[in-house]
Amino acid sequence: GWGQQKAAGDSPSPRQSVRKNLEFEPLSTTALILEHRPANLPAKPAEEAEKHQQQYEEMVAQAKKRELREAQKRKKQLEDRVKQEENIGNAALTWSQEILPNWTTMCSSKRVKELWWQGVPPSVRGRVWSLAIGNDLNITHELYDICLARAKERWNASSAPSTTTDTDTGDAGSSHADREASLELIKLDISRTFPSLCIFQKGGPYHDVLHSILGAYTCYRPDVGYVQGMSFIAAVLILNMHTADAFIAFANLLNKPCQMAFYRVDHSLMLTYFAAFEVFFEENLPKLFAHFKSNNLTPDIYLIDWIFTLYSKSLPLDVACRVWDVFCRDGEEFLFRTALGILRLYEDVLTHMDFIHNAQFLTRLPEHINAHTLFSSIAAVSMSCRNRKWTQVLHTLQKDPERASPVLKR
Amino acid sequence: MAKQYDVLFRLLLLGDSGVGKTCLLCRFTDNEFHPSHISTIGVDFKMKTLEIDGIKVRIQIWDTAGQERYQTITKQYYRRAQGIFLVYDITSERSFQHIMKWASDVDEYAPDKVQKILVGNKSDEEQKRQVATAQGNKLAKAYGMDFFETSAFTNHNITESFTRLAELVLQANKKDLDVLRVSINDKLNLAALEEEEGVCDSSSDAQKTCWC
């Protein structure tokens, strides 16, 4: 019956909700309206009967109209979806047959750049990211296997009962403890990476892959080690490419100057990035900038999470992937441009809130952010300040650390 | 618009990764418990208004990332706090040992007047306990701190520990508070405009110390 139908559907269709309204009425409205009155009651006056007939016909006509409207809407939705799928299909074809085979000559062309901005189709996303991130570190699949094997040795060693820990002293001891702590932290964080997707958690299909990549990286770069936030980056890569390629992209991505500064927590360089961001913040959104300043809301409070996880924790995953697309095209500058796009999108709300409400808002962005709206907002952000581009501003600040954000310095 | 609170201050949650800082906070502010929480990167924020001795106290709680690497960043926030929770996990000996490191950092970077309490979380996991209640008590005593064993899972001692720290901060700032209350009454019309640092500014104008 209808009750069952209602319970089964997550979102009731408009038609179902119309039906719901009729639940308390007899199954057939004809029975109610057109039937003559029972014999023991006086007959309906002709005028009333005619009125009822007319009302009934109006109801039927309206219902028919409504059904027609809904059918048209459904048809339109279907057409839109087909068109969208066609567009994605066409784009995927263009990417895989034209652009990817001629990557070096085509990747910087205007047409490709425009197509890139619109979002890389999921079917070629992994390959595009890999090519755009590059492999300056010359990591091979074999090197990944070696790093992984070493990581596995360590896991086994640490899970076996250890007799040396107690006698370990000095540097060797502390580095051993550090290693153990970082192994445990990886385990803990894997269970806390996109928990709602249920694919990286223990028993999930990508649990071991994520574990392997993070473990291999700590062997590849023991000087950097595992830092919280990395699990999100590795997870997004795993969703788009094969394990060894994901590792190569992961290591090369983290090797970029901005990511290295953050993941090694090079505090003075981080402050320089924040200061450069503030230059463009003031240029683009002077009113909001002043409001944040007077509330002592410094950029570190929201940027740290955004930059460390490349927005994968704070934006819906599909929107985050679109940010990654253009981040791969434009580099670190786009991360800060995205931040300004977010601030610009919510400028009105943000200018009317105090410190704590703003901090809460920015560290937990609305769940329904739409990619199209966000990208329109990002497009309106200018990354040129008094004729200086992002890199120029950053370099000037780097040369003169005194100009870095004074609020955060101790 | 009536002012929603009389005083405002910041509390900070510190402790190793995975001891349950975010869970404590979610239980306190939203009365929710999520076993599979997303990791905190940098710092997260929550707030709640409590009434203590007839005073409406708005507390901002800064929830920090626990990994050691992040301490360079989170230390910057210590000096903005009036109260600090030092949290360990009763099922992790290591997280308990690290409390000493956390406490010494607090001494170095937080204001002298900062109030601290020690919290041993996950008290529901008795079968996995590695740190005895007596050990927690002893350490707290050595530091002159109050001590609570809590469970975000069963909601044990959550409100108690937050309220206690809020009371301690309130007491520690009693003198400032009395002056502040007078000034609030004096400038009642201004109060509606005051937010966050606003309270701070107006009191620091009249006073030597600013405590929010």
Side-chain angles (χ1 to χ4, degrees), chain A residues 167-301:
Chain A
T167 52
D168 265 350
T169 48
D171 281 352
S174 77
S175 75
H176 177 82
D178 279 356
R179 262 207 318 266
E180 285 233 325
S182 122
L183 284 180
E184 261 178 46
L185 191 56
I186 290 176
K187 261 193 225 155
L188 174 74
D189 272 356
I190 287 176
S191 70
R192 304 195 295 184
T193 306
F194 299 121
S196 55
L197 294 182
C198 297
I199 50 177
F200 297 106
Q201 284 60 45
K202 209 161 178 81
Y206 290 133
H207 172 270
D208 293 349
V209 180
L210 184 52
H211 198 188
S212 298
I213 288 182
L214 296 174
Y217 186 75
T218 59
C219 292
Y220 175 69
R221 284 300 293 265
D223 57 323
V224 181
Y226 173 72
V227 185
Q228 290 192 304
M230 285 183 180
S231 65
F232 288 91
I233 294 186
V236 173
L237 291 170
I238 287 167
L239 291 173
N240 287 285
M241 47 187 96
H242 294 298
T243 312
D245 293 326
F247 177 76
I248 294 169
F250 181 71
N252 280 284
L253 191 66
L254 293 187
N255 200 45
K256 303 211 176 275
C258 175
Q259 274 57 48
M260 259 305 140
F262 276 71
Y263 275 105
R264 299 187 81 153
V265 194
D266 178 342
H267 201 231
S268 73
L269 191 49
M270 283 170 75
L271 293 179
T272 311
Y273 273 105
F274 295 147
F277 169 77
E278 285 191 302
V279 168
F280 291 93
F281 186 0
E282 187 171 18
E283 179 75 16
N284 279 279
L285 307 161
K287 214 176 109 197
L288 188 62
F289 179 77
H291 178 67
F292 277 16
K293 263 248 132 94
S294 69
N295 278 286
N296 206 5
L297 182 66
T298 47
D300 54 303
I301 279 171

Side-chain angles (χ1 to χ4, degrees), chain B residues 14-34:
Chain B
L14 297 181
D16 281 7
S17 271
V19 297
K21 298 180 291 296
T22 307
C23 287
L24 284 175
L25 187 52
C26 278
R27 178 58 93 181
F28 175 62
T29 57
D30 307 320
N31 199 17
E32 282 174 1
F33 179 79
H34 311 280

Side-chain angles (χ1 to χ4, degrees), chain A residues 4-170:
Chain A
Q4 264 178 326
Q5 225 181 335
K6 256 194 330 169
D10 286 339
S11 51
S13 73
R15 223 164 41 151
Q16 271 174 318
S17 61
V18 168
R19 279 186 185 171
K20 203 170 71 182
N21 293 337
L22 297 173
E23 252 175 16
F24 303 105
E25 294 181 34
L27 277 175
S28 161
T29 45
T30 320
L32 183 74
I33 294 162
L34 290 188
E35 204 69 29
H36 293 297
R37 286 185 180 168
N40 58 342
L41 292 174
K44 262 190 210 177
E47 200 182 314
E48 200 186 336
E50 196 184 324
K51 195 174 133 204
H52 283 168
Q53 174 73 31
Q54 204 186 333
Q55 282 175 340
Y56 168 71
E57 275 165 11
E58 272 169 23
M59 276 165 71
V60 171
Q62 261 175 12
K64 274 190 181 154
K65 232 164 132 188
R66 195 161 47 226
E67 290 226 338
L68 196 70
R69 252 201 327 262
E70 266 161 33
Q72 278 169 343
K73 208 169 107 192
R74 272 197 305 278
K75 199 174 152 214
K76 176 92 175 44
Q77 274 173 350
L78 195 71
E79 279 171 0
D80 282 353
R81 198 181 316 151
V82 169
K83 207 167 144 197
Q84 205 185 354
E85 272 166 21
E86 223 175 70
N87 280 345
I88 294 174
N90 285 341
L93 225 60
T94 313
W95 279 98
S96 62
Q97 295 186 351
E98 286 180 54
I99 305 169
L100 287 174
N102 307 298
W103 181 254
T104 38
T105 51
M106 278 187 86
C107 71
S108 50
S109 76
K110 203 172 164 230
R111 186 176 144 246
V112 172
K113 281 192 151 185
E114 267 166 24
L115 209 55
W116 206 329
W117 176 271
Q118 287 156 24
V120 178
S123 59
V124 289
R125 191 166 251 156
R127 287 186 63 202
V128 173
W129 287 0
S130 278
L131 285 165
I133 293 167
N135 187 4
D136 286 348
L137 298 169
N138 290 316
I139 300 172
T140 57
H141 286 202
E142 289 71 31
L143 182 59
Y144 168 65
D145 291 336
I146 292 167
C147 291
L148 179 59
R150 203 172 295 166
K152 281 185 172 161
E153 270 169 39
R154 284 193 191 163
W155 298 335
N156 294 335
S158 72
S159 62
S162 158
T163 49
T164 53
T165 354
D166 292 337
T167 52
D168 265 350
T169 48

